[in-house]
Amino acid sequence: MTATSLRAALFDLDGVVFDTESQYSVFWGEQCRKYHPDRPGLEKQIKGQTLVMIFDKYFSDLKDEQPKIVARLDEFERNMKFEYVGGFIDFVSGLRRNGVKTAVVTSSNRMKMQSVYSAHPEFTGLFDAILTSEDFERSKPDPDCFFKGAAALGAEPSGCVVFEDSFNGLKAGRAAGMAVVGLSTTNDAEAIRPYCDVVIPDFRDAALPLEAMLGR
């Protein structure tokens, strides 16, 4: 991909657009210690997965408890703080000024997004499309969500760049054949480096490594 061939940018939500992963680590840490005390650190393994996938893979034997977890999660998300990752607004606005289409591709559901819209009325104006867990059948690391994101923007995968922080998300971007930028907001830079083309701590100086990656 060259700088002139970049047509679309696909952003994960938590840990990429918003600095929220530490909050989720607290919530899921509590649930995992309650239901899986024999599996320390399980909350780290579920990052980037939809709630349905989390339940199917890790809580399938706790059907009666799942509605309770959902109720706790809904309450938790209604009270979350949604603070943009540093430099994001300027970065995404710069992409759009240069004709690059933008989309959110998140494992979050539409109910959670209502809390985002309430906290940030300007949010929808930053993107050409917003895809949530209801819009794709398979969770990351399957590339299905990013293929659908590219299609929503009328872009070929080869013309897209993915911004992700979780291992599952980074693997999904790679599997989709897209350029991948990893944010070290959730995991250490060295840990995610093998799964992406460029690692950045936030968006404050993101333009320079992005241009280098794209060959400008």
Side-chain angles (χ1 to χ4, degrees):
M1 185 191 300
T2 65
T4 55
S5 68
L6 177 60
R7 293 288 179 265
L10 309 178
F11 297 88
D12 181 37
L13 187 73
D14 295 294
V16 175
V17 176
F18 293 119
D19 187 13
T20 50
E21 280 298 350
S22 60
Q23 297 176 68
Y24 276 113
S25 292
V26 171
F27 174 83
W28 283 111
E30 292 174 349
Q31 307 311 307
C32 291
R33 284 190 294 274
K34 177 179 177 66
Y35 297 109
H36 294 291
D38 58 326
R39 301 184 67 176
L42 180 59
E43 65 273 15
K44 297 179 181 179
Q45 298 179 33
I46 67 178
K47 290 182 184 296
Q49 300 180 29
T50 66
L51 185 59
V52 171
M53 186 176 181
I54 292 171
F55 280 167
D56 287 347
K57 193 170 183 179
Y58 303 106
F59 295 85
S60 60
D61 58 338
L62 296 166
K63 297 292 186 182
D64 292 342
E65 294 299 310
Q66 290 181 12
K68 300 176 185 178
I69 297 173
V70 170
R72 293 184 202 121
L73 180 60
D74 289 344
E75 177 65 19
F76 178 81
E77 290 180 335
R78 281 194 292 272
N79 294 284
M80 284 183 70
K81 295 180 180 179
F82 295 102
E83 297 181 358
Y84 286 108
V85 169
F88 177 77
I89 294 291
D90 288 342
F91 181 76
V92 74
S93 299
L95 289 179
R96 291 168 64 83
R97 284 195 302 271
N98 284 281
V100 177
K101 293 185 177 181
T102 58
V104 166
V105 180
T106 177
S107 299
S108 298
N109 59 27
R110 291 171 186 160
M111 181 180 293
K112 186 264 190 71
M113 295 308 295
Q114 293 305 314
S115 297
V116 172
Y117 303 149
S118 295
H120 292 282
E122 79 287 350
F123 186 83
T124 56
L126 300 174
F127 304 98
D128 297 288
I130 297 174
L131 283 74
T132 62
S133 61
E134 293 88 351
D135 295 311
F136 40 87
E137 299 174 359
R138 297 178 294 280
S139 295
K140 305 166 187 176
D142 191 284
D144 176 59
C145 59
F146 287 127
F147 287 140
K148 286 185 169 61
L153 299 180
E156 295 295 325
S158 59
C160 296
V161 59
V162 166
F163 293 85
E164 270 283 0
D165 66 309
S166 71
F167 290 108
N168 284 332
L170 295 167
K171 291 175 182 177
R174 275 282 173 85
M178 301 176 181
V180 179
V181 176
L183 278 91
S184 57
T185 51
T186 304
N187 300 288
D188 291 340
E190 291 308 311
I192 64 174
R193 199 175 302 280
Y195 303 95
C196 50
D197 299 290
V198 172
V199 177
I200 57 176
D202 55 37
F203 292 97
R204 280 183 275 251
D205 297 311
L208 293 178
L210 181 61
E211 290 172 359
M213 181 186 76
L214 299 177
R216 177 170 290 181

